[in-house]
Amino acid sequence: MILESIAIQDFRKLADKLVIDRFEPGLNIIAGPNEAGKSTIAEAIRTVFLERYKVSTLGAIVPAHRPDGQPTVEVKFSVDGVPHVLKKSFVRKSRCELRIGTQSFAEDEAEEKLAELLGFSRSERGASKPEHAGIPGLLWVRQGQTDKVRDSGGHAFGYVRDALSQLSGGDASGGEDGLIRAVSAERGKLLTKTSKTTGALAQTETELAAKRRDRDALSESKLAFDEDINRLASLQAEHDDAKRKKPWEALEQKAALAQERAKASAELERVQRDLLQQRELVQSQHANLMQQEQAARDLEQAVDRDRRALQTAQATVAEASDAHQRASLAVADAQKRHDESHAAHELANAAVTASDLDQHAKLYRADIACLDDALTRANTANADIHALTEQAARVEIDAKKLKRLRVLAETMLPLLARKDAALTRIEYRLSCAITVDGVTLKGSGELLLESEKTLNLPGLGELIIKPGESDLSALIDQLRALESEHARLLLELGVSSVADANLRHEKWQQLTAEKATHARMLEHHAPKGIESLRDELVQARARLAATDERRAKLPDVAHALPLADAKSAFDTARIALENARAAQVGASEKKANASAGEQAVRERLGANEARLADPAFVRDREVRQVQFVEKDTLLKGYARELDECGKKLSAAQLDDPAAEAKRYAKSADILRQEQADRQNRIAQLRGSLEARGAEGIGEKLALAEASVEQIDRRHQQLRLRADALDLLESVLVKERDTAIATLRAPLTQRLGLYLKRVFPAGELSVDDGLTPVSLARGEQPETLDSLSFGTQEQLGILARLAYADLLQAAGRPTLLLFDDAVVHTDDARREGIKRALLEAAKRHQILVLTCHPMHWDDLGVKQRHLADLQAASRA
């Protein structure tokens, strides 16, 4: 499918008419900023093809600033070289027109043709939903939905499966076969799709559960009655024993004694806190004196260090001055060698240029030879294409009738099985002959009855036998109608069987594939056409002449040094000059730093020596020595007092008297409350037992158990039937799924060809729904949902390219549309995506809408800017 032009009027953001024509058959890029209308173009393409023209829910496509507008979209496209024109008007004067070659279709008939051509289904009512979009929903990607390949692939499952069946030669049908549907229908009467019970089985389970609950409730009541009798006797004995012993009074006396010990412990804690506060104050004063003395000692050490540092700094200044003088002489010598090597390097460069031009001339001559050969091969391939086109036309078969023929064969198979199962069978072993509707039977054998039969038994009379299934005649009529249509289609197609039709269709596919092979050969040798190849040959010869002319203008380089030697000498001289200059700068910095360091040490030493000689500083140190002795004596006294107080407090708190007092008091309250609770429970149990004694619980329990047993037998019968049907369905579905699994190979192979351009070591797995499910790049595969959004987006693009290849090979029209699809992709992976798109563009038309034109300017494709297209449409 090749889109040739599109005209849009009064559609969302595009109120003024927009016409885009001259689409390339390969890659097309339309660029524009955000909210310029790119997504509106994509939505117009989807709407004109997929939406029903007379749907009433498309009011949102009318431009907000032009509420009386008439949304109209017209597209021109070709399929297998046949021109198509589609025009739809929406919302107000709804219309639909479709021209295919010289034929015209309108309204619903036109939309049915579109759906059949492109591979999607029309919604019965309302706007089109994702599940209706089929192949276009898979290949036309909305902005921000590139990663939703599993959803769109699931909606296109039937079309992809049909395509893969053609390519792989598989027999997978387009839906469940009749036998699976029949078994599923019977199973559905007892089990849901999720294996939950329903119908009679669910009703029986519900009734059985209710009866069991009633029985269990009665059983529990009987057990509770017996237990309550035993519990009443036990409670009465416990109550009488506690009333006699009164254990709570002893616990209350222990609580009073523990409270007295807790008061004495609290007084010792107060004394300990006072001693700790006094000791903390003295420790703070002692630490302050220590800090002051340490500062004085640090000052004395700093004076000693600075005296030694001053001597070292003076020696460093002298050494730096000598080094600076030597560095200045080295710079002058390096400059001279640098100038001499620069001249030699320029001459060597001229020699290299001359050699390059000679090599280019040699390559141009080789290109001219290759282009001559390619032109010859391209002409040959073009002639082969014309011949194969004629052969394919002779064996082409109506695909729609072939598809109907296959459907009839698949439909008849379960009907024949059902007919065979429904026929009444009579096995006979006769000692004498009998007649059945006038036909003589003797010996042994089997008789199948499609309708009522009369058996004549000599000497005994007649037996009239009627088949058991009431609708057998209807089944036979249906089967005969299908067989009649089957025979008519074989005659119309000019074949003897479905296998013969398939062979003829395969021959047509083979010739079409050979034609495509020669087309690829033609595209390989002349990707832009034979005339373009001739132009390239002319250009190559012109480039050779220009190269020879440049070579003649170069100077004589016979005595030039090798470029590597000249460059090495020049680089060595340049590096030597740079090193010499850097050494000179470093020597200057060292000289300045040494002088500054000497002055700083001298100033710091003078200031510290003055502080040490100050009389006040000396007097303060003498006073601190006396205060040290006083604070040490106080700290030792506080330590002895705290030790004695701590021992007394530990002994007093050994058993936590306050906690013991609370524990004993609480225990006494608990015992009193337990006695009261026992008295209340005894009264309640006596009343409950008297009330339940007259209800006849035992007789009710026996009746309930009999009812449960009766319903349980019915439930087991239904459960056995449900399990048998479930097993049969699973076996049939497994066999069908095995057939579908063989269809994955072509899709997996095509996915791999595109995947290696972005993920060289990756492998994309496909599930039974023929959609990607996981990416393996090591030992452990990763599900698509666990990957980053950018990676899911990239895999979505590659998967759609693979789907397009397979659909095209199966004869389906393909057009790929990506609306800002490579947004969350880094530069490296974007290059891989672009290479994949260029490869796919050899076989498909691709539309890329983007707000990042700079990302697509290296593909050799002229970008079309939306603003320019709008201006041209207004002109």
Side-chain angles (χ1 to χ4, degrees):
M1 172 179 175
I2 302 298
L3 183 65
E4 297 171 353
S5 69
I6 179 170
I8 307 171
Q9 176 77 45
D10 290 337
F11 195 96
R12 285 173 45 169
K13 286 184 176 294
L14 302 176
D16 297 328
K17 186 173 184 179
L18 173 65
V19 178
I20 308 175
D21 55 8
R22 299 192 303 277
F23 283 103
E24 294 292 333
L27 184 59
N28 297 265
I29 300 175
I30 298 177
N34 288 329
E35 299 189 353
K38 300 186 303 300
S39 295
T40 300
I41 295 173
E43 192 61 29
I45 293 174
R46 277 187 287 268
T47 301
V48 74
F49 282 109
L50 303 182
E51 294 292 352
R52 295 167 58 239
Y53 72 97
K54 57 185 176 182
V55 67
S56 61
T57 57
L58 293 178
I61 67 174
V62 179
H65 58 285
R66 189 178 291 177
D68 58 343
Q70 173 67 65
T72 303
V73 183
E74 180 178 355
V75 290
K76 296 180 180 179
F77 60 100
S78 62
V79 178
D80 294 332
V82 179
H84 292 60
V85 180
L86 170 64
K87 183 176 182 181
K88 284 188 182 182
S89 299
F90 301 94
V91 181
R92 289 179 173 80
K93 298 178 181 179
S94 302
R95 296 180 58 197
C96 175
E97 301 174 1
L98 174 65
R99 293 200 308 275
I100 302 177
T102 59
Q103 294 181 298
S104 296
F105 305 93
E107 316 305 352
D108 290 346
E109 184 183 13
E111 291 189 338
E112 290 291 345
K113 287 285 184 182
L114 275 178
E116 180 181 355
L117 175 68
L118 298 185
F120 66 91
S121 58
R122 300 173 66 212
S123 62
E124 293 298 327
R125 55 186 302 175
S128 176
K129 297 178 181 178
E131 54 266 29
H132 299 138
I135 294 175
L138 177 62
L139 302 185
W140 302 351
V141 186
R142 279 190 167 92
Q143 186 179 47
Q145 295 188 7
T146 312
D147 60 314
K148 308 297 184 185
V149 65
R150 284 183 57 77
D151 296 340
S152 56
H155 300 324
F157 170 67
Y159 302 102
V160 174
R161 179 176 57 188
D162 290 343
L164 289 172
S165 297
Q166 295 183 38
L167 298 178
S168 65
D171 296 328
S173 65
E176 294 180 335
D177 56 40
L179 185 57
I180 292 179
R181 286 195 297 270
V183 172
S184 296
E186 289 299 316
R187 178 187 177 278
K189 295 176 181 179
L190 300 176
L191 295 174
T192 66
K193 291 185 180 296
T194 58
S195 296
K196 293 183 179 179
T197 58
T198 187
L201 180 57
Q203 181 180 359
T204 305
E205 284 185 345
T206 303
E207 186 177 355
L208 179 60
K211 293 295 184 180
R212 282 175 173 171
R213 286 194 299 271
D214 294 343
R215 180 201 62 188
D216 293 343
L218 289 170
S219 180
E220 290 175 1
S221 297
K222 180 68 168 59
L223 181 61
F225 183 79
D226 295 339
E227 289 177 349
D228 285 349
I229 292 175
N230 296 330
R231 189 162 56 251
L232 177 60
S234 176
L235 283 173
Q236 187 63 56
E238 291 176 1
H239 177 271
D240 295 342
D241 184 64
K243 184 177 181 181
R244 182 177 64 258
K245 295 179 179 178
K246 297 181 180 179
W248 50 83
E249 292 179 352
L251 291 173
E252 289 171 345
Q253 293 175 1
K254 289 182 179 180
L257 293 175
Q259 187 65 35
E260 292 298 326
R261 293 198 305 274
K263 291 180 180 178
S265 176
E267 178 61 24
L268 285 173
E269 288 179 347
R270 184 192 62 76
V271 173
Q272 185 184 51
R273 285 196 299 272
D274 292 342
L275 289 172
L276 287 171
Q277 290 175 356
Q278 294 171 10
R279 185 182 67 174
E280 184 178 355
L281 176 61
V282 175
Q283 285 176 337
S284 176
Q285 294 170 347
H286 185 272
N288 186 42
L289 293 172
M290 288 290 292
Q291 290 176 356
Q292 294 175 6
E293 182 58 26
Q294 184 61 45
R297 293 173 184 171
D298 292 343
L299 185 59
E300 289 176 341
Q301 294 174 1
V303 169
D304 291 338
R305 288 195 301 270
D306 286 344
R307 286 170 181 165
R308 294 190 296 272
L310 181 60
Q311 296 175 358
T312 303
Q314 290 170 344
T316 302
V317 169
E319 183 180 350
S321 298
D322 292 341
H324 180 265
Q325 184 177 3
R326 291 193 300 274
S328 299
L329 295 174
V331 168
D333 184 59
Q335 183 67 51
K336 179 180 177 182
R337 291 196 296 273
H338 175 271
D339 294 340
E340 292 173 351
S341 62
H342 181 264
H345 183 248
E346 290 293 327
L347 186 60
N349 276 330
V352 171
T353 302
S355 176
D356 289 344
L357 290 174
D358 291 340
Q359 186 64 28
H360 287 166
K362 182 179 179 181
L363 293 174
Y364 289 147
R365 291 186 181 93
D367 287 345
I368 290 171
C370 290
L371 289 170
D372 275 333
D373 180 65
L375 184 59
T376 301
R377 293 176 182 273
N379 287 327
T380 302
N382 193 36
D384 292 339
I385 290 172
H386 290 304
L388 289 169
T389 300
E390 181 181 356
Q391 295 176 31
R394 293 174 180 173
V395 297
E396 186 174 5
I397 192 168
D398 190 322
K400 184 175 181 181
K401 292 182 179 179
L402 176 59
K403 182 177 179 181
R404 177 58 183 168
L405 187 64
R406 290 171 178 166
V407 170
L408 286 173
E410 292 177 357
T411 305
M412 289 165 60
L413 182 62
L415 291 177
L416 288 171
R418 184 179 168 190
K419 171 188 172 183
D420 186 53
L423 293 176
T424 300
R425 290 176 171 79
I426 298 177
E427 292 184 2
Y428 58 86
R429 288 180 292 276
L430 303 172
S431 58
C432 61
I434 65 172
T435 60
V436 179
D437 285 351
V439 178
T440 302
L441 296 179
K442 59 183 178 179
S444 61
E446 183 180 72
L447 180 64
L448 296 179
L449 301 185
E450 296 182 1
S451 58
E452 179 180 314
K453 300 288 184 180
T454 301
L455 277 69
N456 187 0
L457 305 178
L460 297 176
E462 294 181 342
L463 288 178
I464 298 174
I465 302 177
K466 300 179 180 180
E469 185 167 327
S470 60
D471 61 346
L472 179 59
S473 59
L475 176 64
I476 294 172
D477 291 342
Q478 181 184 1
L479 188 57
R480 287 172 179 169
L482 292 175
E483 289 172 342
S484 174
E485 184 180 359
H486 183 269
R488 178 179 58 78
L489 286 175
L490 289 176
L491 183 62
E492 291 177 357
L493 292 174
V495 294
S496 59
S497 64
V498 176
D500 189 15
N502 286 333
L503 287 175
R504 184 170 164 185
H505 184 62
E506 289 173 1
K507 179 63 176 176
W508 176 81
Q509 288 181 323
Q510 180 183 356
L511 291 172
T512 303
E514 289 181 13
K515 174 184 172 184
T517 300
H518 287 285
R520 287 195 292 272
M521 291 175 60
L522 175 60
E523 185 178 5
H524 173 71
H525 294 297
K528 297 182 181 178
I530 295 178
E531 291 302 323
S532 177
L533 188 60
R534 292 194 180 98
D535 293 341
E536 289 183 22
L537 181 59
V538 172
Q539 291 173 1
R541 289 170 176 162
R543 292 191 188 100
L544 176 60
T547 301
D548 291 340
E549 183 179 352
R550 286 185 60 196
R551 178 65 180 87
K553 294 179 181 180
L554 290 176
D556 184 15
V557 293
H559 302 292
L561 293 173
L563 180 61
D565 295 342
K567 186 176 186 305
S568 176
F570 175 65
D571 290 342
T572 301
R574 176 176 51 79
I575 293 171
L577 178 59
E578 292 173 354
N579 291 339
R581 288 173 176 169
Q584 184 184 34
V585 172
S588 298
E589 292 178 353
K590 288 181 179 180
K591 180 180 177 182
N593 291 337
S595 298
E598 178 193 11
Q599 182 62 29
V601 171
R602 190 184 302 278
E603 292 175 356
R604 187 171 64 249
L605 177 60
N608 288 339
E609 287 177 341
R611 284 189 63 195
L612 285 175
D614 186 2
F617 182 82
V618 175
R619 186 169 57 254
D620 289 342
R621 293 190 72 180
E622 293 173 352
V623 172
R624 278 197 297 273
Q625 295 297 327
V626 176
Q627 292 177 341
F628 271 133
V629 176
E630 295 176 353
K631 301 304 179 185
D632 284 338
T633 303
L634 286 173
L635 287 173
K636 291 177 182 178
Y638 285 137
R640 288 192 299 271
E641 293 180 17
L642 282 169
D643 183 57
E644 294 175 0
C645 184
K647 291 178 180 178
K648 294 178 181 179
L649 185 59
S650 296
Q653 293 182 340
L654 183 62
D655 297 323
D656 192 359
E660 283 192 349
K662 291 180 180 179
R663 176 165 54 85
Y664 289 140
K666 185 176 181 180
S667 298
D669 292 339
I670 290 173
L671 291 179
R672 286 184 180 275
Q673 184 61 42
E674 287 178 350
Q675 181 69 351
D677 291 342
R678 275 193 290 269
Q679 180 66 35
N680 291 333
R681 288 201 298 274
I682 288 171
Q684 292 172 357
L685 279 173
R686 284 176 177 167
S688 175
L689 289 171
E690 290 173 358
R692 285 181 288 171
E695 292 181 356
I697 296 176
E699 292 81 357
K700 292 181 179 179
L701 178 60
L703 292 174
E705 288 177 343
S707 178
V708 167
E709 183 180 355
Q710 179 182 6
I711 297 174
D712 188 42
R713 284 195 299 270
R714 171 61 177 163
H715 173 261
Q716 289 177 5
Q717 294 171 353
L718 292 174
R719 181 76 255 184
L720 182 61
R721 176 176 174 79
D723 292 342
L725 290 170
D726 187 56
L727 177 60
L728 178 58
E729 183 189 44
S730 66
V731 170
L732 294 173
V733 170
K734 182 178 179 181
E735 291 299 319
R736 182 199 60 194
D737 292 345
T738 301
I740 292 178
T742 62
L743 305 182
R744 298 181 191 164
L747 178 58
T748 303
Q749 179 185 10
R750 203 65 204 169
L751 283 170
L753 294 177
Y754 287 110
L755 189 68
K756 67 181 181 182
R757 300 179 184 274
V758 182
F759 304 95
E763 182 177 349
L764 200 58
S765 299
V766 178
D767 62 8
D768 290 343
L770 301 178
T771 60
V773 64
S774 65
L775 175 64
R777 290 176 287 188
E779 295 182 358
Q780 186 65 32
E782 303 170 90
T783 63
L784 258 62
D785 293 340
S786 68
L787 299 172
S788 69
F789 183 83
T791 301
Q792 293 185 49
E793 183 181 64
Q794 296 145 23
L795 294 175
I797 294 174
L798 299 177
R800 286 175 171 89
L801 299 182
Y803 282 129
D805 284 354
L806 298 172
L807 290 166
Q808 186 187 65
R812 279 290 187 180
T814 58
L815 167 68
L816 288 155
L817 190 155
F818 297 104
D819 187 2
D820 265 342
V822 194
V823 177
H824 305 278
T825 300
D826 57 38
D827 293 339
R829 290 190 180 178
R830 187 183 297 110
E831 290 302 315
I833 292 293
K834 290 192 287 188
R835 287 194 294 271
L837 287 173
L838 287 172
E839 173 63 26
K842 297 176 182 178
R843 294 175 293 278
H844 312 283
Q845 187 181 48
I846 303 176
L847 272 62
V848 175
L849 307 171
T850 180
C851 60
H852 301 287
M854 72 291 296
H855 292 162
W856 304 89
D857 57 6
D858 59 350
L859 296 179
V861 176
K862 179 177 177 58
Q863 297 186 14
R864 306 180 71 179
H865 294 273
L866 188 55
D868 297 337
L869 295 171
Q870 290 172 328
S873 300
R874 290 193 294 268

